[in-house]
């Protein structure tokens, strides 16, 4: 049976049927180093690394850049559902920068940072920490002071909203799919349940494990899977679209349990859940904890595309937020594929996303 959902490769694997050809055969992977990076919580990392990839070429005016910040545990090729022939991002015209969140195992993470910040001692990195680091990458390393657009899925959407509040005129247009500007209490409950499942394994040893806490990671994966798609997706057995004939539900569930994010470090998984959990644009300096004030401060057009069946970021939360965003276009994705609809997890959603994002970006030219 094909292991079709390692989350690191969610987009590439779930969109296989929608792809005509790869976006690029070779995508350069780089690292940007920040010295004495002070986190929002006060910790100072002597050396913080931000992984990133690039597609296309920056033009002479340096005004054709598009930023695509990564989602949960994703790498630098996590947006190829939007990139290449037949998609909305043309690399012959645009320079794409795909950044990797702290905690993904390549950028600075619990698993690759030396003491005193190794493992469970790695500081909580907020979405604002990630945005600040990428702002330095763009402005200092790549000499980009303005973006044509910023597009984010899931935790990438969280970053997109934070960019809109922290750097309100840095991008001409912003697209957010399957993600909100704040993680509401229901999301905290979900994430805490997944963390609890992982850490209940005796082998976890409060994060100082000497061997992977496999049972805990499998429990985490099982809980996560229950939230990934809609209930109707499971009732209609739409997983059969991605499997060979004869594969059973039991095999599919076991595959999710044992191959969800192959090779991922337990502390890294938790670190990014904490980043997700604590996100709130309302706690941006100057906003006084008021998410509605932060949303009203947004100055650029935003295409807001929640999935109608997302259990992570419910469409009701998106409707609530959209009411306070000037110039927002709220366009729910009509899909049964739950959270993954925002990442083009099937041909219909790929078509819907690419067509509408393409039109939105073209309107800003």
């Amino acid at each position: 049976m094909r292991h079709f959902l390692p989350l690191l490769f969610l987009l590439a694997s779930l969109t296989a049927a929608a792809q005509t050809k790869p976006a690029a055969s070779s995508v350069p992977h780089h690292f940007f180093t920040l010295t004495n990076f002070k986190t929002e919580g006060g910790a100072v990392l002597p050396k913080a690394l931000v992984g990133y990839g690039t597609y296309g070429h920056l033009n002479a005016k340096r005004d054709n850049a598009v930023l695509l910040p990564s989602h949960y545990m994703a790498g630098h090729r996590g947006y190829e559902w939007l990139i290449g022939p037949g998609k909305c991002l043309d690399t012959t015209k645009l320079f794409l920068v795909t950044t990797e969140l702290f905690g993904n195992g390549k950028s600075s993470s619990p698993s690759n940072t030396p003491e005193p910040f190794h493992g469970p001692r790695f500081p909580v990195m907020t979405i604002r920490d990630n945005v600040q680091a990428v702002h330095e990458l763009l402005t200092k390393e790549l000499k980009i002071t303005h973006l044509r657009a910023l597009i984010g899925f899931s935790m990438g959407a969280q970053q997109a909203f934070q960019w809109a509040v922290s750097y309100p005129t840095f991008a001409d247009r912003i697209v957010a799919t399957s993600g909100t500007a704040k993680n509401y209490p229901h999301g905290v409950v979900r994430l805490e349940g997944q963390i609890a499942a992982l850490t209940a394994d005796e082998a976890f040893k409060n994060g100082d494990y000497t061997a992977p806490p496999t049972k805990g990671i499998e429990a985490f994966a099982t809980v996560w899977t229950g939230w990934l798609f809609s209930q109707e997706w499971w009732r209609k057995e739409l997983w059969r679209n991605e499997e060979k004939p004869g594969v059973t539900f039991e095999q599919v569930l076991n595959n999710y349990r044992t191959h969800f994010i192959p090779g991922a470090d337990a502390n890294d998984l938790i670190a990014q859940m904490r980043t997700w959990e604590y996100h709130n644009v309302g706690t941006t300096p100057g906003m006084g904890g008021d998410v509605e004030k932060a949303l009203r401060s947004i100055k650029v057009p935003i295409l807001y595309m929640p999935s109608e069946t997302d259990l992570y970021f419910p469409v009701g939360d998106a409707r609530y937020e959209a009411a306070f965003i000037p110039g927002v276009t709220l366009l729910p994705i009509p899909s049964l594929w739950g959270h993954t609809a925002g990442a083009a997890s099937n041909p219909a959603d790929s078509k819907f996303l690419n067509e509408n994002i393409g039109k939105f970006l073209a309107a800003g030219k």
Side-chain angles (χ1 to χ4, degrees):
M1 181 176 62
R2 182 160 65 95
H3 295 151
F4 74 91
L5 193 75
L7 203 61
L8 278 169
F9 306 108
L10 172 68
L11 309 181
S13 55
L14 285 181
T15 60
Q19 299 285 351
T20 54
K21 60 179 69 175
S25 58
S26 178
V27 181
H29 188 224
H30 311 280
F31 287 95
F32 173 62
T33 301
L34 301 106
T35 302
N36 294 325
F37 181 73
K38 186 175 182 180
T39 70
E40 196 168 46
V44 178
L45 293 176
K47 185 172 76 170
L49 298 177
V50 177
Y52 69 100
T54 59
Y55 299 72
H57 301 281
L58 190 62
N59 64 16
K61 294 182 179 179
R62 313 185 85 78
D63 66 355
N64 67 330
V66 175
L67 175 65
L68 299 111
S70 70
H71 42 97
Y72 185 74
M73 295 300 291
H76 70 295
R77 298 192 67 164
Y79 280 94
E80 293 191 348
W81 48 281
L82 289 176
I83 302 169
K87 304 291 189 265
C88 66
L89 298 179
D90 184 350
T91 56
T92 67
K93 298 177 181 178
L94 298 170
F95 178 63
L96 311 179
V97 181
T98 56
T99 56
E100 299 178 333
L101 280 161
F102 290 126
N104 81 327
K106 295 178 182 177
S107 294
S108 289
S109 306
S111 64
N112 63 19
T113 302
E115 296 293 8
F117 297 118
H118 187 68
R121 289 162 291 284
F122 190 77
V124 172
M125 306 295 274
T126 66
I127 289 293
R128 274 186 294 278
D129 287 329
N130 281 275
V131 168
Q132 178 191 340
V134 173
H135 183 267
E136 292 194 35
L137 160 67
L138 293 177
T139 57
K140 295 180 179 180
E141 179 78 0
L142 300 178
K143 310 302 181 189
I144 294 170
T145 58
H146 193 76
L147 294 168
R148 180 82 58 86
L150 195 161
I151 303 170
F153 158 70
S154 189
M155 289 184 78
Q158 290 183 319
Q159 292 170 82
F161 283 114
Q162 190 60 59
W163 272 93
V165 174
S166 294
Y167 301 100
T169 59
F170 198 90
D172 289 332
R173 308 209 133 210
I174 290 177
V175 179
T177 73
S178 292
T180 56
K182 177 183 176 179
N183 186 50
Y184 296 94
H186 183 252
V188 175
V189 172
R190 175 183 70 82
L191 289 162
E192 284 296 322
Q194 289 156 352
I195 292 169
L198 196 162
T199 58
D201 187 344
E202 288 185 3
F204 183 70
K205 297 181 179 178
N206 294 317
D208 282 314
Y209 41 85
T210 54
T214 302
K215 290 183 179 179
I217 291 174
E218 290 183 3
F220 148 83
T222 305
V223 176
W224 194 290
T225 298
W227 293 82
L228 190 59
F229 301 104
S230 73
Q231 296 94 333
E232 194 169 358
W233 186 92
W234 289 102
R235 179 173 62 79
K236 291 189 172 184
E237 298 186 342
L238 295 183
W239 49 266
R240 293 189 182 278
N241 295 354
E242 300 294 329
E243 293 293 347
K244 295 178 181 179
V247 171
T248 66
F249 166 75
E250 288 75 18
Q251 288 175 308
V252 168
L253 179 57
N254 186 61
N255 186 49
Y256 280 108
R257 179 186 298 114
T258 57
H259 294 89
F260 199 58
I261 309 178
D265 176 80
N267 284 318
D268 291 353
L269 293 169
I270 293 170
Q272 286 207 348
M273 281 190 272
R274 295 295 186 203
T275 300
W276 182 330
E277 182 175 331
Y278 296 153
H279 180 54
N280 179 0
V281 294
T283 53
T284 303
M287 298 300 165
D290 188 340
V291 67
E292 295 173 9
K293 178 181 178 180
L295 293 171
R296 289 191 187 98
S297 76
I298 294 174
K299 300 183 184 302
V300 297
I302 289 187
L303 176 60
Y304 197 171
M305 301 182 76
S307 165
E308 287 185 344
T309 54
D310 196 340
L311 301 179
Y312 295 174
F313 298 101
V315 67
D317 290 347
R319 291 194 178 105
Y320 161 72
E321 292 181 350
F324 304 101
I325 304 173
V328 69
T329 299
L330 180 65
L331 184 64
I333 307 163
S335 175
L336 297 180
W337 286 68
H339 183 65
T340 73
S345 54
N346 62 87
D349 292 344
S350 178
K351 183 174 185 292
F352 185 84
L353 287 158
N354 276 280
E355 286 184 355
N356 286 287
I357 293 173
K359 290 176 184 176
F360 178 73
L361 298 182
K365 293 180 179 178

